[in-house]
């Protein structure tokens, strides 16, 4: 991550994808790829923000094989176990930087919110991010 950025947004991909009942459960890899493609386009417009996306389970396959999207400057973290544990770890890593940027975790998961807020992150629900992504299409 670029130490000059003033904000880092950590995306709970499973929670964001799961917030819209668009059939994502039939193709978790495809849903993750669509999200990554959209986040990459958003990252290109955000000059002062780093995007970090945490993928877990089947969605981890989104970044490999035929059809894997180019993610540009979006940092993709593959959870080897619990996605929530990985999000907490990534958040703590950013907050621990001496000149740490503001950290926002995008999730609707109350338990996860209760874990990242005490270590210095703010939280927002998937709707905020989806609105940003939808604005790219307008």
């Amino acid at each position: 991550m670029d130490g000059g950025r003033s904000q880092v947004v950590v995306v709970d991909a499973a929670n964001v994808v799961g917030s819209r009942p668009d059939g994502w459960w039939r193709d978790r890899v495809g849903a993750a790829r669509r999200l990554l493609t959209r986040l990459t386009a958003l990252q290109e417009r955000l000059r002062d923000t780093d995007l970090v996306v945490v993928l877990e389970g089947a969605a981890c396959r989104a970044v490999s094989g035929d059809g894997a999207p180019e993610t540009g400057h979006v940092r993709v973290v593959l959870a080897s176990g619990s996605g929530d544990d990985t999000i907490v770890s990534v958040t703590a890593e950013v907050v621990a930087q001496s000149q740490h940027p503001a950290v926002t975790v995008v999730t609707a998961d109350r338990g996860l919110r209760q874990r990242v807020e005490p270590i210095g992150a703010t939280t927002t629900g998937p709707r905020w991010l989806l609105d940003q992504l939808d604005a790219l299409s307008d």
Side-chain angles (χ1 to χ4, degrees), residues 13-132:
N15 195 267
V16 171
V17 167
S19 70
R20 281 193 173 160
D22 61 2
W24 60 265
W25 53 89
R26 290 188 296 268
D27 181 12
R28 292 171 194 265
V29 173
R33 286 179 173 171
R34 288 187 296 279
L35 178 63
L36 289 170
T37 299
R38 295 179 77 200
L39 288 170
T40 300
L42 179 62
Q43 177 69 81
E44 291 174 8
R45 294 177 182 226
L46 300 174
R47 305 238 184 267
D48 207 29
T49 302
D50 280 323
L51 294 178
V52 181
V53 182
V54 176
L55 299 176
E56 63 183 291
C60 289
R61 295 194 318 264
V63 294
S64 62
D66 291 341
E70 173 57 47
T71 56
H73 294 288
V74 173
R75 178 179 169 203
V76 179
V77 178
L78 305 179
S80 58
S82 160
D84 287 2
D85 288 349
T86 302
I87 291 165
V88 171
S89 176
V90 167
T91 301
E93 167 191 311
V94 174
V95 170
Q97 296 174 10
S98 60
Q99 297 291 320
H100 78 81
V103 182
T104 302
V105 176
V106 180
T107 187
D109 182 316
R110 258 185 258 145
L112 180 56
R113 286 174 178 238
Q114 291 171 346
R115 292 176 66 190
V116 298
E117 288 173 352
I119 59 176
T122 58
T123 58
T124 189
R127 168 63 32 217
W128 172 82
L129 180 61
L130 292 169
D131 286 348
Q132 305 297 313

